Amino acid sequence: LLAAEQTWIALREPEIIPGVIGALAGAEAGSRHVHTTTFPADFYDRAIAGQTVTYTIEVHEVHAPNVPELDDATAKRLGAENADGARRRVRESLESRQQAARDRARRDQVVGQLLEKVDFGVPPALLARETYDILTQLYQNDVRRGAVPEGDAGKEHIQQLRGQAESYARQRLRRHYLLTRIAEAEGIKVEPAEIQATLETMSAAHNLSLKALQRRLQESGRLGDLIDGLLDDKTLNRLLEFAGGAPAAPDGQPAPTAQA
């Protein structure tokens, strides 16, 4: 962020350098620009948060995306029969994503309402394991984004991530135990055929043989997590039946009540 050579600056949000879009909009190759910016006080890199920095930027090349016309030839390269077929596939994909988002919102709403009505703790050992797993994921995500500060700021950043991870872990475990108890009360079980079908779908998606996938899941201890996830999904579907399949309430409106 403070110095780089032979690199790219994308003129799109979110800005890697505050104000850089306005500073370089319309810039041509061979031009030189001086840009002074102040990083926000809550900037993720604590070392430069709130600091004012002056950049001297020399533009070597300017590139822009070139959106091709959606004709039959382009559609065939995308795996569709023709342009109309490509548009139909895109429309169906968007509708599917929207429906999936609505379903997740409905499920989260029902489970959230039930969790508000019960108070119970979670086993410390499992909470520690889940917290570690989530913390590892959060940290790796920050590393990929280059968002891990160094020194004391880095230690503080880790502590913040640890707090987030423990909160997520507690919520996840409480949700799982609640759904497991409901599954027991309702006699909901995961059948071997359902596990097999899920494994076959995963093996095809990851281009792995079924045996190789099963071996990986067993060695990592994640096969049980897969089965737990299937049980949670079946239980959530039953909860939605209890709730009458009611959609999630818009912001600011009372949410429908679910009983189980």
Side-chain angles (χ1 to χ4, degrees):
L1 285 172
L2 292 179
E5 294 182 2
Q6 301 298 325
T7 188
W8 291 99
I9 300 179
L11 302 189
R12 61 170 179 263
E13 298 289 351
E15 294 180 310
I16 188 172
I17 300 172
V20 73
I21 293 178
L24 296 183
E28 298 181 351
S31 60
R32 182 186 180 97
H33 304 264
V34 176
H35 173 53
T36 299
T37 186
T38 300
F39 287 89
D42 59 352
F43 195 65
Y44 67 82
D45 190 338
R46 306 295 296 177
I48 57 176
Q51 301 295 317
T52 298
V53 181
T54 297
Y55 289 91
T56 299
I57 303 170
E58 296 183 4
V59 181
H60 299 284
E61 300 178 21
V62 178
H63 289 241
N66 181 20
V67 181
E69 180 182 355
L70 181 55
D71 52 21
D72 290 347
T74 302
K76 289 180 179 179
R77 289 197 297 271
L78 297 174
E81 295 182 359
N82 49 43
D84 289 339
R87 293 188 182 94
R88 182 172 60 253
R89 288 174 56 176
V90 171
R91 181 169 58 252
E92 292 172 351
S93 176
L94 291 174
E95 291 173 351
S96 177
R97 292 182 184 181
Q98 291 173 350
Q99 183 59 49
R102 288 193 292 267
D103 289 343
R104 286 194 299 271
R106 289 163 56 194
R107 293 181 174 205
D108 290 345
Q109 184 183 64
V110 171
V111 174
Q113 289 176 347
L114 292 176
L115 284 173
E116 289 176 356
K117 299 178 184 298
V118 292
D119 183 20
F120 61 93
V122 296
L126 287 180
L127 178 61
R129 170 194 156 185
E130 195 76 9
T131 298
Y132 177 79
D133 289 345
I134 296 176
L135 175 61
T136 300
Q137 295 173 8
L138 293 176
Y139 183 78
Q140 289 175 346
N141 289 340
D142 280 356
V143 169
R144 284 193 290 268
R145 295 189 297 111
V148 179
E150 299 179 356
D152 292 340
K155 296 178 181 178
E156 181 181 347
H157 182 70
I158 292 295
Q159 290 302 318
Q160 292 174 350
L161 289 182
R162 191 184 304 279
Q164 294 177 19
E166 183 174 344
S167 177
Y168 294 155
R170 193 181 305 277
Q171 294 174 16
R172 185 182 295 181
L173 288 172
R174 278 173 46 82
R175 179 179 184 273
H176 171 68
Y177 284 126
L178 173 69
L179 293 176
T180 299
R181 183 65 187 90
I182 294 174
E184 293 174 354
E186 292 296 316
I188 302 172
K189 298 180 179 179
V190 178
E191 302 298 334
E194 295 173 317
I195 300 174
Q196 181 69 18
T198 300
L199 290 174
E200 291 175 354
T201 300
M202 291 177 63
S203 67
H206 294 282
N207 196 26
L208 282 173
S209 69
L210 193 57
K211 289 184 178 180
L213 174 64
Q214 290 175 319
R215 184 171 61 253
R216 285 191 181 184
L217 290 173
Q218 290 171 344
E219 290 175 351
S220 63
R222 296 303 183 186
L223 185 58
D225 293 341
L226 172 66
I227 297 173
D228 287 344
L230 292 174
L231 182 63
D232 287 353
D233 284 342
K234 293 188 69 173
T235 307
L236 281 166
N237 289 336
R238 182 69 59 85
L239 285 175
L240 289 180
E241 293 176 7
F242 293 149
D251 292 341
Q253 297 185 17
T257 300
Q259 296 181 348

